[in-house]
Amino acid sequence: MKNIAIIGAGFIAKVHAAAILAAGNTVYSAVSNIESQAREFAAACNAVEWRTDYRDIDIDRIDCVHICTEPSLHYEMIKFFVEKKVPVICEKPLTLKKEEAESLSRLIDESGAKVCVCFNNRFYPAVQEMKQLIESKRFKEPLMLYGIYEQSFHIPPVMNSWRFDADGGNDLRAVSEIGSHLIDLMQFVTGESISRVSAKFKNRTDSLYLDERGNLTENETGSKFELKNEDIAIVTLEFESGIIASLCLSEVSAGKVNELNLTVICKDGRVSWTNERTDRLEIADRSGSFLQSFGMQTGFSDS
């Protein structure tokens, strides 16, 4: 049994807490810069202590820290714990700034601390099988991959959260927020790195209006709010061996809550997976197609 600290008290922090407890571990420290949230979150996950500053955590009592805050805070928090050689699990991204990424890379190498970024879709059994099928060359080499990720989260009216705070270092949207999951999956199942990128971006609208309740709407009675993060992107990738790939990404797709699809086309076959049915793979070769089932469907928290 391990003692874990969680920084953040929002939706994703609660997902982490559920997974930590389900794995038989303890949430030792619950941290939020808002005292009431820290207290409530600590009570909900039966934490030993709550804090409003991550620097006040009893470092000697924890085995790992989970960082579940807005992206602009990640770098300093990771740096703090890596310097103390505490293992870190962090929601994406570790940072969006090149110089901070280079600094973290050096620091992690020098300290030997373990740092993980949460690309959890890798861990669905069906995705693991997809990787093994490609590695086995059962269908010969992959030629092309394509993926789609759609959400409706940014169709107004929507709360003005850190997701719209591009000037504050939180310019995380269609590519870096949802697209990064597909980019990671493509590299994971092929075992290759991306060598070339081309992309086009588009917004549903150039600006919205911020009302007195903190919501972004299309009602022109509020103050004008310029949108600086992309809602939609089409990305073309090329891998080291010449495999090509495309991504269609949208955070303004009506009716879509959180839909990810990935297909790999090989010389002699095709493999496809969707998080709408995480328990199965669609597999096809020259003789036809079939579904491979992995039993009870695992959920987001399990992955």
Side-chain angles (χ1 to χ4, degrees), residues 26-298:
T26 298
V27 177
Y28 188 89
S29 302
V31 183
S32 172
N33 59 359
I34 301 173
E35 182 175 330
S36 60
Q37 289 184 354
R39 286 180 178 273
E40 290 171 10
F41 188 40
C45 57
N46 200 26
V48 175
E49 64 176 20
W50 60 267
R51 294 281 186 263
T52 55
D53 190 327
Y54 65 90
R55 289 163 290 201
D56 293 334
I57 293 173
D58 188 348
I59 293 291
D60 294 333
R61 301 299 299 272
I62 64 168
D63 299 295
C64 179
V65 60
H66 288 227
I67 298 174
C68 304
T69 66
E70 61 192 68
S72 60
L73 302 177
H74 291 180
Y75 171 73
E76 290 296 338
M77 290 179 177
I78 296 167
K79 185 172 180 287
F80 176 83
F81 289 104
V82 165
E83 287 175 342
K84 292 174 171 45
K85 300 189 187 310
V86 177
V88 174
I89 294 177
C90 184
E91 278 296 317
K92 66 177 190 306
L94 299 185
T95 177
L96 288 170
K97 296 179 180 178
K98 181 176 181 289
E99 61 275 14
E100 289 183 353
E102 291 170 345
S103 172
L104 277 183
S105 181
R106 287 193 300 270
L107 184 60
I108 291 166
D109 287 343
E110 291 167 1
S111 71
K114 295 179 173 65
V115 177
C116 170
V117 63
C118 289
F119 285 122
N120 57 290
N121 287 295
R122 287 182 174 204
F123 297 99
Y124 286 109
V127 174
Q128 296 279 324
E129 178 67 14
M130 176 185 276
K131 177 178 176 63
Q132 290 177 23
L133 283 171
I134 294 169
E135 286 180 342
S136 71
K137 303 294 185 182
R138 174 177 166 182
F139 304 121
K140 297 186 179 176
E141 65 267 26
L143 303 172
M144 181 181 79
L145 296 86
Y146 66 89
I148 298 171
Y149 206 142
E150 295 183 87
Q151 294 178 341
S152 58
F153 292 177
H154 294 290
I155 298 177
V158 60
M159 181 177 290
N160 179 28
S161 68
W162 60 262
R163 297 174 188 274
F164 294 90
D165 182 25
D167 292 334
N170 292 308
D171 44 347
L172 190 71
R173 285 293 287 275
V175 173
S176 49
E177 187 173 358
I178 57 176
S180 58
H181 278 290
L182 270 172
I183 292 167
D184 176 70
L185 283 179
M186 289 178 171
Q187 292 184 114
F188 176 66
V189 300
T190 62
E192 293 191 25
S193 297
I194 294 163
S195 58
R196 300 177 71 191
V197 179
S198 174
K200 293 289 288 185
F201 308 120
K202 190 175 181 63
N203 275 5
R204 179 182 175 276
T205 183
D206 292 331
S207 59
L208 293 171
Y209 297 87
L210 183 61
D211 68 19
E212 58 187 15
R213 293 176 296 178
N215 293 321
L216 293 171
T217 75
E218 294 178 300
N219 187 341
E220 297 184 12
T221 57
S223 58
K224 194 170 184 179
F225 187 98
E226 184 182 354
L227 294 175
K228 298 182 179 180
N229 303 2
E230 80 277 359
D231 292 320
I232 288 173
I234 294 179
V235 184
T236 302
L237 308 173
E238 185 175 327
F239 290 78
E240 294 165 314
S241 69
I243 300 168
I244 57 174
S246 69
L247 291 75
C248 293
L249 311 169
S250 170
E251 294 193 317
V252 288
S253 293
K256 297 296 184 182
V257 176
N258 198 50
E259 186 173 324
L260 181 160
N261 300 282
L262 174 63
T263 295
V264 183
I265 297 174
C266 301
K267 274 191 174 181
D268 285 347
R270 177 182 181 277
V271 188
S272 188
W273 176 78
T274 173
N275 69 350
E276 294 285 285
R277 286 298 306 268
T278 61
D279 61 322
R280 67 186 189 183
L281 275 181
E282 180 186 345
I283 301 173
D285 57 20
R286 295 181 183 184
S287 64
S289 63
F290 65 94
L291 294 175
Q292 181 175 350
S293 175
F294 294 84
M296 186 177 294
Q297 183 169 356
T298 57

